[in-house]
Amino acid sequence: MKKDILWHGIIVPAVTPMKDPYTVDLTAVQKHFDYMIDGGVNGIFILGTTGEGPAIGHEEQRKFIREAVKAVSGRVPLLVGISEASGADTLEVGKFALEAGADGLVAAIPCYLPPSDEDIYSFYQTLAETFPDKVFIYNMPGMCKVNLKPELVVELLKLEGIAGYKDSSGVIGDLKYVVERTAKPCFVGPEHLTMDAMNFGAAGGVNGGANLYPELFANLVKAVDNNDISARDAAQKEIMSIQKIYGPAPNANSCICGLKLELARKGLMQNITAFPLQPLKNPLY
């Protein structure tokens, strides 16, 4: 990781453009990334949940990683999701991503066999030793069947090679517990919680809505950093208003599909999702 990187603000979990359900649309990457970066975001995170990472074949993942490195071109930090069902695959994708030029890695616990706390600690200890100062812990209980206990996360963040933490549990009290006990950067996933999380010291948000509205989310960060309460509250109100695109009962699939439909309407990519997820034909609102 470059020593001058400041992990702060809005890191966008980029939606992956597809040209068919099995193939990444590499021709759409530059336009989408330019749109987000020009909007003022502080980083890009590919192949996460919003990016359908685990649903995309390994060869296509690698093509996308290479194209993302070119598209970002050092303008903002680039994180790559390496969450896999296999710990061995996690290590393999991580090595490829760093060799390709990524600045950091984001890893959820392997999602098929439920791990014990000892398994979880061993997993992140191995990642920290293999990729020192590159790895962000990713708590995503909705997809991995395990909610990392905040006490365990604090211990994991003590590992010298762990760079930070992303919490998508939606339990803001657990994130606050962690933030109060570590100096390492901690990010929140659910975008409606970003303002509250930053108010108690979180580094920022990994917010899917910034794919569509990068300036809005960048403005929220600026307002919080400047303690501009009026601008902060106005940005938060607008962020709450866009939650409708995810449907009345948001989940990972509805968020992916809602974003892809709206991004297609903006002309940034096609409304195609990775197999077997079916795209939306009509908005959820």
Side-chain angles (χ1 to χ4, degrees):
M1 186 181 302
K2 301 181 182 73
K3 293 299 182 183
D4 60 346
I5 286 178
L6 176 64
W7 296 111
H8 177 79
I10 298 299
I11 298 176
V12 190
V15 171
T16 304
M18 306 292 288
K19 67 179 180 181
D20 64 51
Y22 306 93
T23 311
V24 176
D25 185 358
L26 300 178
T27 65
V29 174
Q30 188 73 58
K31 184 177 182 180
H32 182 213
F33 280 31
D34 286 347
Y35 174 76
M36 294 185 289
I37 294 170
D38 291 347
V41 303
N42 307 100
I44 303 282
F45 164 37
I46 65 168
L47 298 175
T49 304
T50 305
E52 302 174 271
I56 295 170
H58 286 170
E59 184 56 35
E60 290 301 306
Q61 286 181 353
R62 284 158 174 72
K63 291 177 183 177
F64 185 33
I65 291 167
R66 285 192 291 261
E67 191 65 27
V69 170
K70 289 195 297 181
V72 169
S73 192
R75 291 176 290 171
V76 296
L78 176 67
L79 286 161
V80 174
I82 59 170
S83 305
E84 303 282 348
S86 158
D89 283 343
T90 295
L91 292 169
E92 185 179 337
V93 177
K95 290 174 184 175
F96 179 89
L98 293 179
E99 289 172 0
D103 297 298
L105 309 170
V106 182
I109 197 75
C111 62
Y112 191 74
L113 298 174
S116 66
D117 285 356
E118 290 77 13
D119 297 330
I120 293 168
Y121 191 91
S122 175
F123 174 72
Y124 284 111
Q125 183 177 44
T126 298
L127 293 185
E129 292 170 352
T130 306
F131 312 119
D133 300 323
K134 304 290 188 183
V135 178
F136 279 75
I137 299 163
Y138 183 12
N139 186 26
M140 188 43 154
M143 311 305 287
C144 296
K145 299 182 290 189
V146 174
N147 186 19
L148 301 182
K149 300 170 187 173
E151 297 85 358
L152 176 58
V153 173
V154 171
E155 292 305 308
L156 292 171
L157 287 167
K158 292 177 183 177
L159 290 168
E160 188 174 344
I162 294 295
Y165 176 53
K166 182 204 171 188
D167 180 28
S168 289
S169 70
V171 184
I172 197 164
D174 286 356
L175 177 59
K176 188 173 188 288
Y177 178 95
V178 174
V179 168
E180 290 173 344
R181 290 163 176 80
T182 184
K184 292 181 178 179
C186 298
F187 290 84
V188 66
E191 57 202 48
H192 65 286
L193 299 177
T194 298
M195 182 187 77
D196 290 340
M198 291 193 72
N199 284 341
F200 62 65
V206 183
N207 302 150
N211 281 274
L212 273 170
Y213 304 105
E215 290 185 13
L216 170 60
F217 286 85
N219 287 340
L220 173 66
V221 170
K222 290 174 188 175
V224 173
D225 286 346
N226 295 329
N227 198 30
D228 185 337
I229 295 174
S230 176
R232 180 202 69 184
D233 290 350
Q236 177 68 8
K237 183 177 180 180
E238 194 169 350
I239 287 169
M240 295 305 295
S241 74
I242 68 171
Q243 301 305 296
K244 63 185 180 182
I245 70 170
Y246 308 133
N251 57 41
N253 287 359
S254 71
C255 290
I256 293 164
C257 292
L259 285 168
K260 280 211 166 170
L261 179 60
E262 298 299 328
L263 287 164
R265 288 176 157 189
K266 280 185 175 286
L268 291 168
M269 63 182 64
Q270 299 180 72
N271 184 27
I272 299 173
T273 46
F275 174 80
L277 184 61
Q278 297 297 301
L280 289 176
K281 295 181 180 178
N282 299 296
L284 293 168
Y285 55 92

